[in-house]
Amino acid sequence: MMSLSLLSCLLILLNLWSIPVNSTASSSSSKPATDSSVEIAAYYYPWYDGNDNFHWDQGFLRSKLEIPQRPFLGRYTLEDPATVDQHLEWANEYGISQFICSWWGPQNANDYVLLHNLLRSPKLGRNFKIALLYESLGLLDIFKAEDGSLHFDEQGKAYRTLLSHVEYMAQQYFSHPNYLKVHGGKPVVYFYVTRIFQGAYRQAFAKLRLTIQQDYGVDLYLVGDEVFWEGPDPSRITVWDAVTAYNMHGPPRYAGYPAVTNLFQDIENMYTQYQVVANAHNVTLLPGISPAFNDRGVRLEANHYPIPHEVRAELAGTGQYTTFWEGLQMAKRVLDNQQEVADAPCTIVVTSFNEWHEDSAIEPTVRYVPPSKKPDLLTMGYTYEAYGFRLLGMVQRFLNETNNNREHGHDDEEKNTPSMQQQASGSLTSTV
């Protein structure tokens, strides 16, 4: 477990290294958003605990580079409240207003971190919100069918498991003032990979809503991870209040630099297809984005292709992180096209704050470590830089530009964001 004294030393070093701060943001509470303000939510993983450090021991790409690039806080444990406090302080400082917290069931180490360290942290302030991400693959794994789907049986066994979990959430989480609620008090729960739900899942979720309302007086706001490359199915979308995509990584045709594979254009087109169907049924689409992806440090046998931090080869090693920037701009365009849905959240969901296994984290790395392209088997020839606080700084910059434009009635993207031509020429200079 990381001691408070060790964390204090790290924070002293942080100050000595003159890490950029937001002079207009409080470090203990985030600004309340106006109706038109874009908010950033990020998936948060509490599984770095002090019991056996299983998740650190599993490894991750940056720990296995020729010159390792570890998290700024090192091999931390979230059982130390000071580490959680630091994460919240960074989130508030750089404009993240919500954590969507990975939840693996009641009364385990992850649940303890959330209830005792996150929800009791003084760094939450009044405006920072948390929601839970129901980890369907883990919590409902006994109902997995041979084809990989999660099957909701007619006898209701899967439903009863689901109900017991959401009842626990209602008892332990929903009444907390920092739990995310929309539409006049509906607690928000995200569900992972709902697109693989089969069987009587529609009936199960309809019954779940009714039971929780009757027993706890709570109307649920449920977000399904439905968006993927198969295209929208209205019968699936209407189960949910909102739909999103945890990660659009998948088809092998997107192996390569995003500007070459047309990744963002195709994601935007797919989001638009889902958005049209969803909005027609009064369902919101919450666009999800990732700064990059590489899980080869933890599941090499799967042989998944990486998505690099830059959109073109000529930008490799420039530290512009154009994949993240282009993703933010794409998500903004999707939000701008959202049709009239009552009290629709204006939220971009970032995968992730601290999922180190898949190299999707925006949590700071160490700084001043040379870039690395080795070992080739893990990097697939891409350049990996220790990005420090620059991804968080990009969130801050994006929010400042986007929400200032909305407040003043300007929505001209070309005036405020780098074009693909500028990115390709290397003329975009990082300001973070």
Side-chain angles (χ1 to χ4, degrees):
M1 178 179 293
M2 181 180 289
S3 67
L4 288 172
S5 59
L6 177 55
L7 188 61
S8 298
C9 291
L10 284 171
L11 294 177
I12 291 172
L13 286 172
L14 185 150
N15 290 326
L16 289 174
W17 289 342
S18 300
I19 290 167
V21 298
N22 180 359
S23 61
T24 62
S26 167
S27 63
S28 60
S29 64
S30 59
K31 293 182 179 180
T34 65
D35 290 341
S36 62
S37 293
V38 173
E39 293 196 66
I40 298 291
Y43 291 106
Y44 185 78
Y45 289 85
W47 57 29
Y48 304 103
D49 62 69
N51 292 334
D52 55 14
N53 281 310
F54 169 74
H55 282 279
W56 291 129
D57 290 340
Q58 276 190 308
F60 56 101
L61 169 74
R62 290 177 184 272
S63 70
K64 297 179 179 181
L65 293 174
E66 186 175 42
I67 303 175
Q69 301 171 9
R70 295 184 173 86
F72 184 82
L73 296 180
R75 187 175 159 128
Y76 58 75
T77 170
L78 291 170
E79 289 187 347
D80 183 352
T83 308
V84 177
D85 289 349
Q86 182 60 78
H87 283 168
L88 286 168
E89 187 164 334
W90 284 336
N92 276 303
E93 185 174 302
Y94 287 93
I96 298 168
S97 56
Q98 303 171 22
F99 277 164
I100 305 165
C101 302
S102 172
W103 190 78
W104 290 84
Q107 299 178 343
N108 57 31
N110 295 175
D111 187 50
Y112 179 91
V113 166
L114 297 178
L115 287 173
H116 293 269
N117 293 347
L118 184 63
L119 286 179
R120 295 181 182 181
S121 173
K123 299 296 183 179
L124 279 173
R126 289 182 297 175
N127 298 309
F128 196 91
K129 302 299 180 183
I130 74 115
L132 296 180
L133 170 65
Y134 187 90
E135 293 284 2
S136 309
L137 286 179
L139 294 170
L140 300 175
D141 64 328
I142 63 172
F143 305 106
K144 182 176 283 189
E146 291 184 1
D147 63 0
S149 66
L150 288 177
H151 185 77
F152 282 73
D153 55 296
E154 297 289 347
Q155 294 74 31
K157 293 180 181 178
Y159 163 72
R160 287 191 290 274
T161 300
L162 173 66
L163 176 62
S164 69
H165 291 153
V166 179
E167 284 183 325
Y168 181 85
M169 294 179 184
Q171 295 161 6
Q172 300 295 327
Y173 287 91
F174 291 167
S175 63
H176 194 282
N178 289 92
Y179 196 89
L180 178 63
K181 301 177 184 72
V182 298
H183 292 195
K186 294 182 179 181
V188 178
V189 183
Y190 286 70
F191 286 82
Y192 182 53
V193 290
T194 61
R195 63 180 182 270
I196 68 170
F197 289 0
Q198 296 295 335
Y201 73 95
R202 296 180 187 85
Q203 299 91 315
F205 278 91
K207 189 175 180 181
L208 174 70
R209 290 180 186 273
L210 181 62
T211 302
I212 295 298
Q213 202 287 326
Q214 290 176 340
D215 292 351
Y216 296 93
V218 169
D219 291 321
L220 295 170
Y221 189 94
L222 305 180
V223 183
D225 178 14
E226 284 289 327
V227 181
F228 208 57
W229 297 104
E230 293 85 357
D233 178 347
S235 68
R236 301 190 66 89
I237 289 174
T238 52
V239 174
W240 313 102
D241 298 288
V243 292
T244 191
Y246 177 85
N247 192 334
M248 293 296 283
H249 180 283
R253 64 181 178 273
Y254 297 114
Y257 285 98
V260 177
T261 65
N262 293 319
L263 175 63
F264 288 114
Q265 292 92 325
D266 290 354
I267 290 177
E268 186 170 355
N269 288 337
M270 188 57 64
Y271 280 1
T272 299
Q273 292 180 40
Y274 272 88
Q275 190 175 52
V276 168
V277 175
N279 291 174
H281 293 86
N282 205 40
V283 175
T284 300
L285 184 133
L286 302 176
I289 64 165
S290 298
F293 180 89
N294 188 332
D295 66 349
R296 300 177 69 84
V298 68
R299 52 177 86 96
L300 181 61
E301 69 283 355
N303 198 31
H304 291 149
Y305 62 86
I307 297 176
H309 278 86
E310 303 293 354
V311 297
R312 294 183 182 276
E314 54 265 40
L315 296 175
T318 64
Q320 297 184 53
Y321 306 103
T322 45
T323 298
F324 192 30
W325 186 257
E326 181 67 14
L328 288 166
Q329 296 300 329
M330 179 271 296
K332 172 184 173 290
R333 290 192 297 271
V334 171
L335 286 179
D336 287 343
N337 291 330
Q338 195 97 258
Q339 299 302 309
E340 192 67 31
V341 176
D343 299 322
C346 194
T347 304
I348 295 171
V349 184
V350 174
T351 306
S352 64
F353 184 81
N354 63 337
E355 217 293 12
W356 290 96
H357 298 309
E358 297 180 352
D359 198 45
S360 66
I362 60 174
E363 179 186 0
T365 65
V366 295
R367 297 177 11 139
Y368 311 121
V369 174
S372 181
K373 297 176 69 171
K374 302 287 184 180
D376 289 331
L377 190 62
L378 301 185
T379 67
M380 300 296 287
Y382 294 114
T383 300
Y384 285 85
E385 295 183 283
Y387 55 81
F389 284 70
R390 283 176 285 181
L391 294 179
L392 283 179
M394 191 163 284
V395 171
Q396 182 185 78
R397 173 187 168 197
F398 168 77
L399 287 172
N400 286 343
E401 293 183 0
T402 299
N403 290 333
N404 284 341
N405 285 342
R406 286 181 169 231
E407 286 177 11
H408 295 95
H410 301 300
D411 199 25
D412 186 353
E413 180 185 320
E414 294 182 358
K415 293 180 181 178
N416 297 287
T417 61
S419 67
M420 296 297 285
Q421 183 178 3
Q422 288 174 315
Q423 293 167 5
S425 67
S427 62
L428 169 63
T429 303
S430 176
T431 61
V432 297

